[in-house]
Amino acid sequence: MMIYFIGDKEFDGVKTIRLNEIKFLDFEVNLKEFDCLIISSKNALKALMSSKSKINFDIKFYAVGQKSADFAKELGFKNVKYPSKAYGKNLASEFLSEFKNKKCLYLRAKKISSGLDEILLNENISLKQLIVYENVAIEPKKDELKIQHPSVFIFSAPSSIEQFLKFFALKNEDKVVVIGQSTALKLRNFKNLYICEKQDLNSCLKLAKSLDF
């Protein structure tokens, strides 16, 4: 049984197909001008730390997932929170009262699917959005164009599914593991679709390796 991961990380016993790459954008922001900092990906933090921005490690920091929250703590942010489930709608609902009457900054990708921004703006939260990175599509290498069927395919973002389907097709006997609901929507009509209970790659890998034919 072959397991494929569509992304940019390498894992033992898994073949990686790279179809996207992260491009950090040039920007500069002063975090001391805001009360709350919101991110939905580690990439936003990486972009922030590689910029010329003025960092305020005491700012109230909100991450969609625990992995991003842990990364923020490692970097030195002191007041870090994350929701019970790693979805934008959960972050918005669980901390909405804390965002009220606060100046919030959302560091985000060029293209997002969570709707976090719309939820907060509809609640009249003072939200400034800053695009700090984008997911750029790339073509697969020649040795990646031949894939085996049946196999297990792991997708960690809606964009990775979109790009995958430009070059490949899923067979009925294949199985697909996705990291969350937003990603699952891209393949909602696929029969053998498995949504990971925890929104992190290690859980996706564990689930993929548990599937057999």
Side-chain angles (χ1 to χ4, degrees):
M1 173 179 67
M2 179 67 75
I3 299 176
Y4 293 94
F5 171 64
I6 318 306
D8 61 355
K9 298 182 184 300
E10 302 285 343
F11 302 99
D12 289 338
V14 177
K15 183 171 179 59
T16 294
I17 301 178
R18 296 176 183 272
L19 298 177
N20 300 80
E21 61 184 14
I22 301 300
K23 178 184 177 184
F24 295 142
L25 306 180
D26 290 330
F27 72 99
E28 188 174 346
V29 66
N30 184 357
L31 295 187
K32 291 189 176 181
E33 296 178 358
F34 299 91
D35 303 303
C36 305
L37 175 61
I38 301 169
I39 67 156
S40 55
S41 167
K42 280 185 181 181
N43 291 318
L45 261 180
K46 292 176 181 178
L48 174 66
M49 300 309 291
S50 64
S51 71
K52 296 179 181 178
S53 299
K54 294 181 179 179
I55 309 298
N56 173 20
F57 289 107
D58 292 318
I59 193 171
K60 292 183 178 179
F61 190 105
Y62 299 84
V64 167
Q66 183 178 354
K67 295 289 186 181
S68 296
D70 290 343
F71 185 49
K73 292 176 183 176
E74 290 174 13
L75 292 174
F77 287 94
K78 300 183 179 78
N79 303 307
V80 180
K81 294 183 178 182
Y82 60 92
S84 57
K85 293 185 178 180
Y87 294 110
K89 62 181 180 181
N90 289 83
L91 185 144
S93 62
E94 290 181 30
F95 301 115
L96 186 61
S97 62
E98 298 184 26
F99 297 146
K100 293 285 187 181
N101 303 315
K102 297 291 194 302
K103 292 181 64 177
C104 301
L105 174 65
Y106 179 23
L107 300 183
R108 46 162 284 193
K110 185 175 182 179
K111 184 178 180 180
I112 56 176
S113 58
S114 68
L116 172 60
D117 57 330
E118 294 179 4
I119 297 172
L120 294 179
L121 290 172
N122 286 337
E123 293 290 344
N124 296 316
I125 299 300
S126 175
L127 183 71
K128 178 180 175 61
Q129 301 184 66
L130 199 56
I131 297 173
V132 298
Y133 73 96
E134 62 178 321
N135 207 330
V136 181
I138 59 176
E139 293 189 8
K141 298 177 182 178
K142 287 185 178 180
D143 64 336
E144 294 175 338
L145 286 171
K146 293 183 179 180
I147 58 177
Q148 298 179 19
H149 298 281
S151 292
V152 180
F153 297 87
I154 303 172
F155 297 98
S156 61
S159 58
S160 63
I161 293 178
E162 292 174 0
Q163 186 68 354
F164 178 85
L165 294 176
K166 292 178 183 178
F167 301 97
F168 307 98
L170 292 169
K171 306 294 185 181
N172 290 333
E173 64 269 25
D174 291 325
K175 297 186 179 182
V176 172
V177 173
V178 295
I179 201 166
Q181 298 288 348
S182 297
T183 307
L185 287 173
K186 291 292 181 180
L187 289 172
R188 56 183 173 272
N189 295 322
F190 189 74
K191 182 177 66 173
N192 298 321
L193 181 65
Y194 300 83
I195 303 175
C196 198
E197 289 187 8
K198 293 183 178 180
Q199 286 71 53
D200 65 74
L201 283 179
N202 288 332
S203 296
C204 287
L205 288 168
K206 185 177 180 180
L207 175 58
K209 290 178 179 180
S210 73
L211 300 175
D212 53 26
F213 298 92

